[in-house]
């Protein structure tokens, strides 16, 4: 059953990616509407599939790499849908949906192991993973917005308007989006970080027993986003700097993510 | 379908020809009536603007109608026929319909998508209609043209993206700042173009205007006019800290804003972006300023480049607009054709009925001793035969009203039964 739902989800995200790219070229609003419907259908199937997994394994979808890779895109699409309904940035989907699709497609390549169900400290584990993933997802969208910002800024600086100049929203809006998403993502990520160390601490009995290989990159990532979050308020790190920071930050996330879970 | 258009426009004729052929506004009414009195012309509309002079008409015969209109133009404006011939174009039927749709949708304009032409076409039509020189066909054609123009405007991006310097500046400001409502604009130097740009910014929501000029009195005057405040020229640099959009157009022979100054200012602005529009020649602002983060500098050539690209973007949309126009032309032709089939059938029936009556009367005059009863019987008989023969063709022709081959059927019927004459 969950296989079917996963396949439908994957297909929907793939289709939505194609339609979004098509929209980028053709500018027909009908395409945007179809893409949106496709994403929503995909998201519903995705949710159902994750519920199936959770029932099968007896715990949330965050105990092994396969499950992470199935869960992460779900949070990305969730945040994307919220942003889309709030801001209606027509081309955001072209930058975000492909990301969700690629991640989910990657999860299909992974061995689908089932970790044994443990009732030990399930509360802290769930809290840690949910908060962290939502934070990551907000950062993923910031990455998309940052990319759009860099492209649009390039267009304006070069004074040669290309097709993106007409398609992308104003720098102000993109910067604003960057700010909002980091304001949401950073606290979530921080809380995820805290609950994670409480969880590990409770298991090992020592809150400060950090594995440097696993934890150090995580701290670096946290510091980057902390700098972006605080820097905007205090010293005016906005616009290009904020966009660039969001892009670099996200690459770091991918690296740390990989190091952290392996 | 005897709809024609004869005309010249900016693509086919140089300005000295266009101005000779143009109809003065107060003479158009009179010319419309003159034209309509001509033998071939049944309905007409004259469109005369600075970029085009076109006469739309419904005529008895296409070729004769075109020639007659050309001769009218030549006589009226005193131009040799050969000379006009060199510059003018004439379209008929579908092509004429499509041409009108293109013109009113601003696809045929010098700057594609400009909005004035639709108003001019409307004006031309309203005048002709008020003089009763248009009838069912041209009325329908022009009403359709207006709805097509509206559709093109709403369904395509043909009128989007600025094609004038001052509008391009406003659009760029919006791409940088999003909403420009709360932004501050400063004019350095006063000029016609900078004033126009400022006015466009104001109508787009900008409320705070600063005006700085070497002659302070002029700055005060301009500030009063724009409901802003005047700044002494020595102080404009300080004001850059709180300004978001700068329109510069001084007569200074050298740069008045240099990169070094601007680097300091942007730091004081805490990296809030600033947009410079330098429309002065020679330029007021060092081009290197554009290299600073969050500073955007456009000079007059840059704006011109943006406009060129905008026009190209509009032209891309023109392809979509043409699709719409093709579809709508077809629709109009269908409407027109449905008008034509019915008169053809009527004509056919009349012709047969005429033959029947003539032949019957011939017979009656030969056979003078026929009784009244016999005459009635013969009348009934012939009429039944005629009706029986006509029944199938009538039904079948009516079925073809909407088909593609309809025109062909109409022509065949008219040829076979020699129905040619005036359809009306």
């Amino acid at each position: 059953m969950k296989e079917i739902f996963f396949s439908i989800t994957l297909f929907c995200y793939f289709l939505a990616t194609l339609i979004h790219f098509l929209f980028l070229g053709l500018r027909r609003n009908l395409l945007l509407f179809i893409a949106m419907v496709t994403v929503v259908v995909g998201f519903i199937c995705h949710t159902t599939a994750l519920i199936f997994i959770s029932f099968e394994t007896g715990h949330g979808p965050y105990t092994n790499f396969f499950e992470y890779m199935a869960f992460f895109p779900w949070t990305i699409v969730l945040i994307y849908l919220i942003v889309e309904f709030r801001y209606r940035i027509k081309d955001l989907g072209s930058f975000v949906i492909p990301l969700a699709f690629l991640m989910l497609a990657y999860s299909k390549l992974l061995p689908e192991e089932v970790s044994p169900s443990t009732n030990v400290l399930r509360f802290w584990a769930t809290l840690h993973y949910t908060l962290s993933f939502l934070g990551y997802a907000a950062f993923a969208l910031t990455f998309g917005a940052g990319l759009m910002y860099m492209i649009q800024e390039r267009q304006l600086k070069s004074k040669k308007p290309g097709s993106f100049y007409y398609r992308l929203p104003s720098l102000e809006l993109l910067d604003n989006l960057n700010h909002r998403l980091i304001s949401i993502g950073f606290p979530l990520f921080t809380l995820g970080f805290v609950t994670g160390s409480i969880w590990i601490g409770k298991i090992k009995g020592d809150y400060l027993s950090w594995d440097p290989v696993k934890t150090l990159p995580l701290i670096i990532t946290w510091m980057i986003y902390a700098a972006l979050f605080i820097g905007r308020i205090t010293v005016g790190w906005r616009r290009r700097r904020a966009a660039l920071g969001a892009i670099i930050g996200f690459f770091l996330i991918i690296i740390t993510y990989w190091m952290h879970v392996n | 379908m005897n709809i024609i258009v004869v005309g010249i426009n900016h693509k086919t004729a140089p300005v000295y020809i266009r101005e000779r052929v143009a109809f003065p506004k107060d003479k158009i009414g009179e010319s419309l009536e003159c034209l309509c009195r001509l033998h071939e012309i049944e309905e007409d509309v004259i469109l005369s603007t600075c970029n085009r002079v076109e006469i739309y008409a419904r005529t008895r015969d296409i070729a004769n109608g075109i020639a007659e209109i050309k001769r009218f133009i030549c006589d009226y404006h005193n131009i040799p026929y050969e000379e006009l011939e060199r510059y003018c174009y004439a379209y008929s039927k579908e092509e004429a319909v499509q041409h009108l749709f293109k013109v009113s949708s601003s696809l045929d304009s010098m700057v594609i998508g400009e909005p004035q032409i639709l108003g001019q076409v409307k004006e031309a039509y309203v005048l002709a209609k008020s003089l009763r020189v248009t009838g069912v066909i041209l009325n329908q054609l022009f009403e359709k043209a207006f709805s097509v123009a509206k559709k093109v405007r709403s369904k395509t991006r043909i009128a989007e993206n600025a094609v004038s310097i001052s509008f391009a500046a406003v659009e760029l400001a919006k791409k940088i700042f999003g909403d420009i409502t709360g932004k501050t604009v400063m004019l350095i130097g006063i000029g016609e173009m900078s004033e126009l740009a400022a006015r466009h910014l104001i109508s787009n929501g900008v409320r705070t205007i600063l005006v700085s000029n070497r002659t302070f009195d002029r700055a005060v005057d301009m500030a009063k006019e724009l409901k802003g405040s005047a700044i002494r020229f020595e102080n404009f640099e300080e004001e850059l800290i709180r300004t978001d959009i700068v329109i510069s157009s001084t007569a200074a022979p050298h740069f008045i804003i240099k990169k070094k100054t601007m680097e300091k200012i942007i730091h004081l602005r805490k990296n809030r972006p600033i947009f410079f529009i330098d429309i002065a020649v020679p330029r007021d602002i060092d081009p290197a300023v554009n290299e600073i983060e969050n500073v955007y500098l456009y000079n007059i050539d840059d704006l011109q480049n943006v406009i060129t690209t905008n026009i190209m973007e509009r032209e891309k949309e023109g392809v979509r607009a043409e699709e719409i126009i093709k579809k709508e032309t077809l629709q109009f032709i269908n409407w027109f054709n449905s008008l034509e089939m019915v008169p053809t059938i009527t004509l056919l029936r009349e012709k047969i009925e005429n033959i029947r009556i003539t032949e019957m009367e011939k017979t009656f005059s030969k056979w003078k001793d026929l009784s009244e009863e016999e005459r009635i019987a013969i009348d009934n008989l012939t009429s039944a035969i005629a009706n029986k023969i006509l029944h199938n063709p009538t039904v079948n022709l009516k079925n073809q009203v909407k088909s593609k081959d309809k025109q062909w059927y109409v022509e065949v019927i008219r040829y076979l039964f020699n129905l040619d004459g005036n359809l009306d």
Side-chain angles (χ1 to χ4, degrees):
Chain A
M1 219 28 200
K2 93 183 167 217
E3 276 307 311
I4 298 171
F5 279 111
F6 258 127
S7 304
I8 298 173
T9 309
L10 201 61
F11 177 71
C12 282
Y13 291 169
F14 173 68
L15 205 65
T17 302
L18 281 188
I19 299 170
H20 267 298
F21 286 160
L22 216 60
F23 172 74
L24 218 51
L26 296 175
R27 315 295 297 156
R28 299 284 201 282
N29 284 335
L30 182 65
L31 285 175
L32 200 65
F33 177 73
I34 297 170
M36 188 42 103
V37 171
T38 320
V39 172
V40 170
V41 171
F43 184 70
I44 293 167
C45 293
H46 199 163
T47 314
T48 319
L50 290 177
I51 291 171
F52 269 112
I53 288 194
S54 301
F55 270 112
E56 244 172 57
T57 58
H59 51 69
Y62 40 67
T63 54
N64 58 49
F65 200 50
F66 160 74
E67 289 174 359
Y68 294 145
M69 289 313 269
F71 188 44
F72 191 11
W74 183 83
T75 55
I76 290 181
V77 176
L78 175 70
I79 303 256
Y80 162 74
L81 286 174
I82 294 169
V83 170
E84 190 57 43
F85 281 115
R86 173 83 179 70
Y87 285 91
R88 303 216 172 266
I89 299 175
K90 287 185 175 178
D91 292 282
L92 186 64
S94 312
F95 290 80
V96 174
I97 298 300
L99 207 64
F101 165 68
L102 287 177
M103 281 187 187
L104 197 66
Y106 181 56
S107 84
K108 294 295 281 181
L109 301 176
L110 295 169
E112 194 180 321
E113 40 190 312
V114 176
S115 308
S117 166
T118 47
N119 278 326
V120 187
L121 301 165
R122 185 190 278 179
F123 171 73
W124 288 106
T126 308
L127 212 56
H128 164 66
Y129 284 113
T130 310
L131 290 171
S132 306
F133 274 117
L134 284 173
Y136 278 141
F139 293 153
L141 256 84
T142 326
F143 167 75
L147 221 54
M148 286 163 87
Y149 185 96
M150 294 305 280
I151 295 171
Q152 183 64 298
E153 133 119 347
R154 186 83 229 114
Q155 300 272 317
L156 281 162
K157 277 275 188 189
S158 72
K159 301 169 186 178
K160 288 186 193 72
S163 49
F164 274 114
Y165 167 78
Y166 298 101
R167 284 154 178 67
L168 297 181
S170 68
L171 293 179
E172 177 70 25
L173 181 71
L174 291 169
D175 188 48
N176 201 353
L177 187 62
N178 173 301
H179 177 46
R180 295 272 177 103
L181 284 168
I182 287 189
S183 310
I184 296 164
F186 181 68
L188 286 172
F189 186 64
T190 310
L191 285 175
F193 199 74
V194 172
T195 48
S197 41
I198 292 174
W199 175 45
I200 294 293
K202 290 216 173 196
I203 291 174
K204 292 193 176 170
D206 178 4
Y207 291 97
L208 296 170
S209 74
W210 290 356
D211 174 358
V213 182
K214 270 191 164 191
T215 320
L216 197 63
L218 211 59
I219 291 173
I220 294 171
T221 312
W222 184 84
M223 278 162 66
I224 286 209
Y225 282 99
L228 284 174
F229 182 60
I230 298 161
R232 177 185 290 268
I233 304 163
T234 53
V235 285
W237 280 7
R238 47 169 68 94
R239 300 217 153 219
R240 186 169 201 273
R241 229 165 275 192
L244 208 57
I247 292 170
I248 296 168
F250 189 68
F251 278 116
L252 274 176
I253 282 182
I254 292 177
I255 297 166
T256 52
Y257 185 69
W258 186 79
M259 285 171 89
H260 186 63
V261 295
N262 270 335
Chain B
M1 178 152 90
N2 293 351
I3 295 174
I4 60 165
V5 54
V6 177
I8 59 162
N9 66 19
H10 57 281
K11 289 175 199 161
T12 65
V15 64
Y16 69 90
I17 294 290
R18 295 205 303 274
E19 60 194 15
R20 272 179 73 190
V21 172
F23 288 86
K25 237 187 183 138
D26 51 325
K27 295 277 165 57
I28 291 180
E30 177 185 301
S31 312
L32 280 167
E33 280 165 341
C34 279
L35 264 167
C36 219
R37 276 195 293 273
L38 296 175
H39 176 257
E40 294 289 339
I41 313 293
E42 314 224 42
E43 303 175 45
D44 66 324
V45 172
I46 297 179
L47 173 66
S48 181
T49 74
C50 47
N51 277 336
R52 68 180 67 245
V53 177
E54 286 175 343
I55 297 177
Y56 291 87
R58 187 170 65 82
T59 56
R60 283 171 204 276
D61 178 83
I62 288 176
N64 293 346
I66 290 173
E68 206 166 57
I69 289 179
K70 281 183 184 167
R71 234 171 294 129
F72 172 82
I73 295 174
C74 291
D75 292 348
Y76 192 93
H77 296 292
N78 228 338
I79 292 171
Y81 194 83
E82 300 70 39
E83 193 170 2
L84 180 75
E85 195 83 306
R86 218 180 313 146
Y87 297 108
C88 88
Y89 47 84
Y91 301 115
S92 59
K93 301 185 177 180
E94 276 124 280
E95 280 182 323
V97 173
Q98 196 163 334
H99 182 75
L100 175 65
F101 289 179
K102 271 190 186 174
V103 168
S104 34
S105 308
S106 191
L107 279 181
D108 201 45
S109 301
M110 194 131 88
V111 175
I112 183 170
E114 56 91 10
Q116 284 96 331
I117 184 69
L118 181 59
Q120 290 162 334
V121 176
K122 268 185 187 159
E123 210 175 293
Y125 165 62
V126 167
L127 178 65
K129 199 180 172 195
S130 71
L131 294 172
R132 294 171 192 280
V133 292
T134 62
V136 189
I137 308 288
L138 283 198
N139 286 349
Q140 180 73 19
L141 177 67
F142 276 81
E143 298 292 349
K144 184 85 187 167
F146 304 146
S147 78
V148 171
K150 215 169 153 190
K151 201 169 184 179
V152 163
R153 199 151 277 263
S154 64
K155 292 252 163 108
T156 70
R157 276 172 254 268
I158 192 164
E160 272 176 34
N161 304 320
V163 290
S164 72
I165 296 279
S166 46
F167 271 118
V170 173
E171 267 180 19
L172 283 163
K174 282 186 176 168
K175 280 285 180 192
I176 295 168
F177 299 108
D179 183 13
I180 57 172
T181 311
K183 303 296 170 199
T184 301
V185 176
M186 176 157 57
L187 266 63
I188 306 176
I190 294 166
E192 211 173 302
M193 194 139 46
S194 59
E195 186 189 335
L196 194 63
R199 285 194 191 280
H200 281 318
L201 287 166
I202 292 168
S203 65
N204 275 277
V206 168
R207 289 284 164 270
T208 323
I209 316 282
L210 308 173
V211 184
S212 179
N213 195 52
R214 260 189 223 281
T215 334
F216 187 63
D217 290 346
R218 285 196 65 202
V220 173
D221 290 347
M222 182 50 74
K224 207 180 275 171
E225 223 170 284
L226 297 174
K227 296 200 180 82
S229 35
I231 305 290
R232 292 208 173 270
F233 194 74
E234 308 84 72
N235 301 339
F236 85 80
E237 272 182 18
E238 288 163 35
E239 297 297 334
L240 285 177
I241 298 166
R242 64 173 177 125
T243 306
D244 303 293
I245 301 163
V246 178
I247 304 166
S248 183
S249 63
T250 74
H254 50 77
F255 297 144
I256 60 165
I257 296 174
K258 299 206 177 76
K259 194 179 176 189
K260 273 232 170 80
T261 343
M262 210 44 230
E263 269 166 350
K264 264 183 251 158
I265 289 167
I266 202 76
H267 185 69
L268 290 168
R269 293 175 59 85
K270 286 199 171 172
N271 286 322
R272 275 180 303 115
I274 186 164
F275 176 33
F276 286 100
I277 303 151
D278 184 0
I279 46 185
V281 179
R283 289 169 298 175
D284 281 342
I285 302 162
D286 183 357
V289 161
N290 191 49
E291 291 158 17
I292 305 170
E293 208 173 291
N294 295 321
V295 177
Y296 303 89
L297 165 64
Y298 278 69
N299 65 35
I300 194 91
D301 280 4
D302 300 332
L303 290 170
Q304 201 57 58
N305 269 344
V306 171
I307 289 170
T308 313
T309 331
N310 283 353
I311 291 175
M312 270 154 55
E313 198 71 7
R314 281 186 174 195
E315 273 160 7
K316 270 190 226 157
E317 286 297 306
V319 179
R320 284 178 64 192
E322 291 203 16
E323 282 167 28
I324 295 176
I325 286 175
K326 260 187 206 141
K327 237 192 244 162
E328 298 286 332
T329 307
L330 213 69
Q331 236 183 57
F332 178 81
I333 288 167
N334 281 341
W335 171 81
F336 187 91
N337 285 351
S338 75
L339 282 187
E340 248 181 345
M341 185 59 106
V342 179
T344 306
I345 295 169
T346 318
L347 224 57
L348 175 66
R349 298 196 73 103
E350 269 171 18
K351 173 132 190 175
I352 304 292
E353 179 71 1
N354 279 340
I355 294 171
R356 185 181 75 87
I357 302 236
T358 335
E359 292 308 311
M360 205 165 61
E361 261 154 15
K362 264 194 216 161
T363 310
F364 289 167
S365 61
K366 257 191 227 162
W367 301 75
K368 292 217 166 89
D369 46 353
L370 284 172
S371 74
E372 192 57 39
E373 263 177 350
E374 282 166 332
R375 282 173 189 245
I376 291 170
I378 290 172
D379 191 345
N380 285 345
L381 170 73
T382 49
S383 144
I385 291 171
N387 280 334
K388 280 270 150 69
I389 291 171
L390 280 171
H391 176 73
N392 282 337
T394 307
V395 170
N396 289 339
L397 283 175
K398 276 186 178 160
N399 284 341
Q400 294 297 328
V401 162
K402 281 188 179 134
S403 96
K404 260 195 308 196
D405 306 325
K406 196 207 91 181
Q407 202 69 43
W408 181 82
Y409 279 109
V410 169
E411 272 170 33
V412 167
I413 293 292
R414 288 162 71 98
Y415 173 70
L416 286 180
F417 291 92
N418 202 15
L419 297 179
D420 264 336
N422 199 347
L423 267 187
D424 299 328

